[in-house]
Amino acid sequence: MTSDECSASAPTNSSFVSAWRSPTAVKLLPPREAARLILDGMEANRYRVLVGKDSRFMDWLYRLNPERAAGFIAKQMKALLRE
């Protein structure tokens, strides 16, 4: 995956959004690949480097509705603390 792919448009797939209901359902990006994407973005002098589907989704959600994005994060964190 290139850094250009990281800045692709926000996901709108409903199956991706439903995956957020279960924190374990989201596939994680390997640390080595995430580091490579971040470094590629830095070398390209990018202002923003979005790594992974979750960061693109949250970026999209925050731009659309910051209050809802903050509520979404709080809800996810509560769910993780209960486990």
Side-chain angles (χ1 to χ4, degrees), residues 5-75:
E5 291 171 327
C6 289
S7 59
S9 63
T12 56
N13 188 337
S14 63
S15 64
F16 175 75
V17 174
S18 66
W20 273 94
R21 295 170 198 253
S22 170
T24 58
V26 178
K27 183 179 175 186
L28 297 177
L29 189 64
R32 187 176 298 270
E33 190 175 341
R36 172 59 18 214
L37 292 171
I38 293 167
L39 291 173
D40 287 347
M42 291 172 63
E43 288 171 356
N45 226 11
R46 294 191 186 275
Y47 180 71
R48 301 164 67 86
V49 179
L50 302 176
V51 177
K53 291 180 180 180
D54 56 341
S55 68
R56 289 190 298 275
F57 172 73
M58 288 308 302
D59 180 64
W60 172 80
L61 182 59
Y62 188 78
R63 288 168 182 255
L64 182 68
N65 189 334
E67 187 175 326
R68 185 165 182 162
F72 179 77
I73 292 170
K75 184 177 176 183

